[in-house]
């Protein structure tokens, strides 16, 4: 990889600090190092810092370990905020902002960072760059807090991340757009210059607008998913095939084909949290965001629809064995946050079913999977089962020899929760097969 990134002129070499070596912070730091900058990552978790120092990546993200190793000479990991501050001028904040009980985002970690900056004496050469997803208005709060603490010289920008887990390196280095919101144009210039070599459009704006771009983007993508899921449910009633419907819709360039895959709902650490935070934010400002209320509700119901499909084929689920194939909220990640598999497993157990499960990388000791029997392979999970549910479309699971496993099942029912298997082929192999809003394909189904 060239140090200039993929696009225009190389950026000046900057001294970058990153607070929080979690998913977003680590990817940001490693990618900026790959573009030629000196990067110091600071985390409060000693085990994590030790692991990074030893060259071990504490999260699962394809390609990250390789880029990290290649640019190890420009990456420093530390527990000390003082050390990070000494070594850096532009400081990315990438701490987490989990939802609170009220659905608002918890900003205590972000505000904790500001407090620490006062203690260690940040100054005029420092620009803070907010990467964490924070509610609209947070930048103004942080700005006021900095000013109140005598840190008026410290710059502040909002630079939201648009990284998809599993494709984060490519998303960082080949972004569709970069958004930079600033209070002072000079601070925005410094941050925008970091991204100039990537050749992507850079949207320069105010801090609240930049914060809103992030929420609106995630909320819109989530809306697209809930929309196509409802179309799928109607397709089931009228005998239409949602895969063809989505294909036909997506060819309209105003609609676009992305995020029109019907299934058992969206999960992960971002969509559910951000959609409810935006709804909450609107509510707190006196506006009832009706559409998002439905997006959330449709998603919750969608996760449970599989139960109805199983009952249709098996009758009562009491004593029946159901295999869940894939547990992570999507393939190429070990992330189980808000995964549909958790709701499904709990519902199945509540119905008295036995649940076996397989995932290529999810930690099988997870407390949240209590009562679920973990298998070493998809084949083992399915053997002896009354039904199998494809929950996460891992390539290795899709590629299983379905013809060979069919005779090992007690009854050959397969529910494809991700519309990733070919209905015609599965029916031909002798399975009682159902997708989400699909009919056995005859014509025009995209591959
Ligand atoms: C999402 C956004 O795509 C990123 O742009 C954003 O930066 C990130 O959230 C974030 O806010 O940090 P991610 O959570 O990694 O990224 O996951 P996605 O690939 O977007 O998938 C989200 C969920 O939607 C998954 O459960 C997936 O299975 C589901 N999905 C996606 C569908 O059900 N149908 C689709 O057509 C697409």
């Amino acid at each position: 990889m060239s140090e200039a990134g993929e696009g225009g002129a190389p950026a000046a070499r900057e001294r970058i600090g990153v607070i929080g070596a979690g998913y977003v912070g680590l990817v940001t730091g490693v990618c900026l190092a790959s573009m030629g900058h000196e990067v110091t990552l600071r985390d409060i978790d000693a085990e994590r810092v030790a692991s990074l120092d030893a060259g071990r990546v504490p999260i699962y993200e394809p390609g990250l370990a390789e880029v990290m190793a290649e640019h190890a000479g420009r990456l420093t990991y530390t527990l000390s905020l003082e050390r990070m501050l000494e070594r850096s001028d532009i400081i990315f904040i990438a701490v987490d902002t989990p939802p609170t009980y009220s659905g608002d985002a918890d900003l205590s970690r972000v505000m904790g960072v500001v407090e620490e900056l006062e203690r260690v004496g940040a100054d005029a050469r420092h620009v803070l760059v907010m990467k964490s997803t924070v509610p609209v208005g947070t930048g103004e709060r942080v700005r006021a807090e900095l000013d109140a603490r005598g840190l008026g010289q410290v710059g502040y920008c909002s630079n939201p991340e648009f990284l998809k887990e599993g494709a984060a390196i490519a998303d960082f280095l080949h972004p569709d757009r970069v958004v930079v919101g600033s209070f002072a144009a000079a601070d925005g210039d410094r941050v925008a210059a970091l991204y100039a070599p990537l050749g992507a459009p850079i949207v320069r704006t105010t801090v609240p607008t930049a914060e809103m771009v992030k929420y609106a983007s995630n909320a819109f993508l989530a809306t697209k998913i809930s929309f196509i899921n409802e179309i799928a449910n109607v397709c089931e009633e009228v005998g239409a095939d949602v895969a063809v419907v989505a294909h036909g819709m997506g060819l309209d360039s105003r609609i676009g084909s992305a995020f029109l895959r019907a299934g058992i709902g969206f999960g992960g650490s971002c969509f559910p949290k951000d959609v409810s935070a935006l709804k909450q934010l609107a509510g707190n400002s006196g506006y009832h965001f009706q559409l998002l209320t439905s997006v959330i509700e449709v998603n919750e119901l969608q996760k449970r629809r599989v139960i109805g499909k199983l009952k249709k084929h098996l009758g009562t689920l009491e004593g029946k064995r159901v295999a869940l194939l894939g547990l992570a909220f999507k393939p190429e990640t070990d992330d189980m946050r808000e995964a549909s598999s958790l709701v499904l497993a709990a519902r199945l157990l509540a119905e008295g079913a036995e649940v076996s499960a397989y995932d290529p990388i999810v930690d099988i000791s997870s407390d949240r999977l209590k009562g679920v029997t973990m298998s070493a392979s998809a084949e083992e999970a399915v053997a002896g089962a009354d039904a199998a549910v494809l929950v996460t479309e891992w390539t290795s699971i899709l590629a299983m020899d379905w013809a060979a496993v069919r005779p090992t099942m007690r009854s050959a029912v397969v529910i494809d929760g991700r519309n990733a298997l070919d209905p015609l082929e599965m029916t031909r192999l002798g399975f009682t097969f159902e997708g989400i809003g699909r009919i056995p394909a005859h014509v025009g189904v995209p591959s």
Side-chain angles (χ1 to χ4, degrees), residues 161-163 165 214 218 259-261 266-267 270 329-330:
E161 55 91 9
F162 300 102
L163 308 174
E165 289 187 24
K214 165 69 187 198
N218 273 4
F259 281 71
L260 282 184
R261 199 165 21 82
F266 57 79
C270 304
F329 85 94
K330 66 174 191 177

Side-chain angles (χ1 to χ4, degrees), residues 290-425:
Q290 203 164 337
L291 183 59
L292 289 188
T293 306
S294 300
V295 168
I296 295 165
E297 195 185 359
V298 167
N299 197 51
E300 279 314 309
L301 294 174
Q302 200 67 12
K303 295 178 192 173
R304 292 161 166 77
R305 275 181 76 84
V306 167
I307 304 291
K309 288 175 187 284
L310 288 169
K311 282 183 175 168
K312 184 168 96 189
H313 297 290
L314 301 177
T316 173
L317 298 180
E318 180 86 47
K320 301 282 165 49
R321 183 151 153 225
V322 179
L324 299 182
L325 300 178
L327 295 169
F329 85 94
K330 66 174 191 177
E332 298 303 330
T333 175
D334 60 354
D335 200 334
M336 286 291 286
R337 284 176 288 182
E338 302 287 333
S340 299
S341 61
L342 293 170
V343 172
L344 255 181
R347 281 292 309 124
L348 286 167
L349 291 170
E351 293 279 344
E354 275 177 50
V355 182
S356 59
Y358 167 73
D359 188 282
I361 58 165
V362 163
D363 177 10
I364 56 167
S365 61
S366 171
D367 250 14
R368 291 171 299 179
L369 291 167
K370 227 180 240 156
V372 173
T373 309
M374 296 300 301
S375 307
S377 66
E379 289 81 355
E380 186 185 307
V382 164
D386 295 284
V389 181
L390 179 73
V391 182
T392 313
E393 65 279 30
W394 285 96
T395 316
S396 63
I397 295 176
L398 298 180
M400 174 166 78
D401 185 345
W402 291 90
V405 300
R406 197 190 60 78
T408 72
M409 293 179 72
R410 202 144 57 187
S411 69
V413 175
V414 172
I415 309 294
D416 179 0
R418 293 295 175 188
N419 284 353
L421 294 161
D422 178 354
L424 202 57
E425 177 62 8

Side-chain angles (χ1 to χ4, degrees), residues 171-309:
D171 283 350
F172 191 97
L173 294 173
H174 307 277
D176 288 339
R177 79 311 207 175
V178 172
V179 176
V180 179
S182 59
F183 293 108
D187 295 332
D189 292 346
R190 282 176 79 185
V191 176
L194 292 175
Y195 294 97
L198 301 178
I202 298 182
V203 179
R204 294 286 302 274
T205 184
T206 64
V207 169
T209 305
E211 292 168 342
M212 192 56 157
V213 174
K214 165 69 187 198
Y215 275 103
S217 299
N218 273 4
F220 183 74
L221 292 171
T223 303
K224 251 185 136 177
I225 299 171
S226 276
F227 178 83
I228 202 66
N229 282 340
E230 288 221 281
I231 293 289
N233 300 343
V234 178
C235 281
E236 287 179 2
E237 299 302 321
V238 299
D241 189 329
V242 74
V244 183
V245 172
H247 180 56
M249 287 169 64
L251 289 172
D252 184 327
S253 60
R254 294 168 304 173
I255 297 174
S257 58
F259 281 71
L260 282 184
R261 199 165 21 82
I264 50 173
F266 57 79
S269 64
C270 304
F271 284 179
K273 167 172 84 76
D274 292 353
V275 174
S276 76
L278 180 53
K279 183 191 146 189
Q280 208 55 47
L281 180 86
N284 293 346
S285 334
Y287 181 73
H288 176 51
F289 205 143
Q290 203 164 337
L291 183 59
L292 289 188
T293 306
S294 300
V295 168
I296 295 165
E297 195 185 359
V298 167
N299 197 51
E300 279 314 309
L301 294 174
Q302 200 67 12
K303 295 178 192 173
R304 292 161 166 77
R305 275 181 76 84
V306 167
I307 304 291
K309 288 175 187 284

Side-chain angles (χ1 to χ4, degrees), residues 19 42 44 79-83 85 111-123 126 145-146 149-151 154:
I19 301 180
R42 186 265 187 159
I44 50 170
L79 279 168
S80 154
L81 189 73
E82 283 92 334
R83 177 146 189 255
L85 218 58
M111 289 308 181
V113 167
V114 174
E115 233 179 87
E116 279 193 279
L117 289 174
E118 181 189 8
R119 187 171 52 73
V120 298
D123 58 41
H126 293 117
E145 188 71 17
L146 286 166
R149 289 176 183 271
L151 298 173
V154 175

Side-chain angles (χ1 to χ4, degrees), residues 62-78:
L64 183 59
E66 289 78 2
V67 186
M68 195 174 124
E70 195 184 333
H71 302 283
R74 282 196 290 274
L75 284 160
T76 304
Y77 308 100
T78 182

